[in-house]
Amino acid sequence: DTLWNCGATPMYPLDRMKHFLKTIAGAIGRSVQAKLNALSIWDNTLSEVATHIREGWKVCDKWNELTHDLTKVQWAGSDNVWKDEGYKDKFLANTAARIREVNALRSQHDQVLRLLPDEERKYLQVDMCFDPLKRVHAFSYNDYTVPMWQEAVA
């Protein structure tokens, strides 16, 4: 906020601020991805990883919420008016969506485990259902990893 409204002449350029916000969002996203990929998400129980997963997507969503509020609401009435739609980083939004997808998979698996008796678990080989997902970094989102993730989930 201080950088955007610093009062310098000429005003801080919009394209430069977008790049700055994108750079910070990228660093946040990569940090969240690294922390979550370090967990044994498919081997640990849901209770061991659920909080980390939830906090990961909350960090991504919070950054996008803050930048959107700054650019759409607060900077719309400042001396240096933001002359574009509110900024939300697509990479962070997609990373948060992937994290929520992993959480949904883990939650559904946990519910199935609670409902099935031991005999049926063994027969259906429920313990092996995450084997294809263990071959990909579940929380790494980029254009290259999307097809591999979709194949593993299918």
Side-chain angles (χ1 to χ4, degrees):
D1 186 48
T2 303
L3 181 60
W4 182 252
N5 291 311
C6 68
T9 305
M11 297 287 194
Y12 202 83
L14 184 124
D15 288 339
R16 194 171 199 181
M17 182 55 80
K18 278 185 178 178
H19 178 73
F20 180 66
L21 294 173
K22 183 176 181 161
T23 301
I24 294 172
I28 291 169
R30 287 186 302 278
S31 176
V32 168
Q33 288 176 342
K35 297 283 184 190
L36 293 177
N37 278 328
L39 301 173
S40 295
I41 188 71
W42 307 117
D43 295 322
N44 290 328
T45 63
L46 181 62
S47 62
E48 293 174 319
V49 295
T51 301
H52 299 289
I53 294 171
R54 188 173 44 256
E55 293 302 317
W57 91 62
K58 284 170 72 175
V59 166
C60 297
D61 285 346
K62 189 64 174 179
W63 175 258
N64 269 340
E65 179 185 319
L66 290 172
T67 57
H68 187 266
D69 180 61
L70 270 175
T71 56
K72 185 75 174 170
V73 179
Q74 294 181 29
W75 292 349
S78 70
D79 292 338
N80 190 8
V81 177
W82 185 266
K83 297 175 185 161
D84 202 358
E85 55 189 62
Y87 181 81
K88 283 192 175 184
D89 189 78
K90 291 177 183 161
F91 168 69
L92 272 187
N94 290 332
T95 299
R98 170 72 62 83
I99 295 168
R100 281 192 285 278
E101 186 178 359
V102 170
N103 186 59
L105 288 169
R106 284 305 319 261
S107 297
Q108 292 165 9
H109 180 261
D110 193 56
Q111 291 171 4
V112 167
L113 288 179
R114 291 180 190 191
L115 294 173
L116 287 177
D118 288 337
E119 293 172 8
E120 286 186 49
R121 277 192 227 173
K122 289 177 187 173
Y123 177 73
L124 295 172
Q125 298 177 341
V126 176
D127 296 335
M128 297 172 57
C129 70
F130 289 139
D131 286 352
L133 298 170
K134 290 178 182 179
R135 288 177 258 190
V136 296
H137 293 288
F139 299 107
S140 295
Y141 181 90
N142 60 45
D143 293 339
Y144 174 72
T145 62
V146 169
M148 292 185 299
W149 172 254
Q150 290 171 343
E151 184 180 320
V153 171

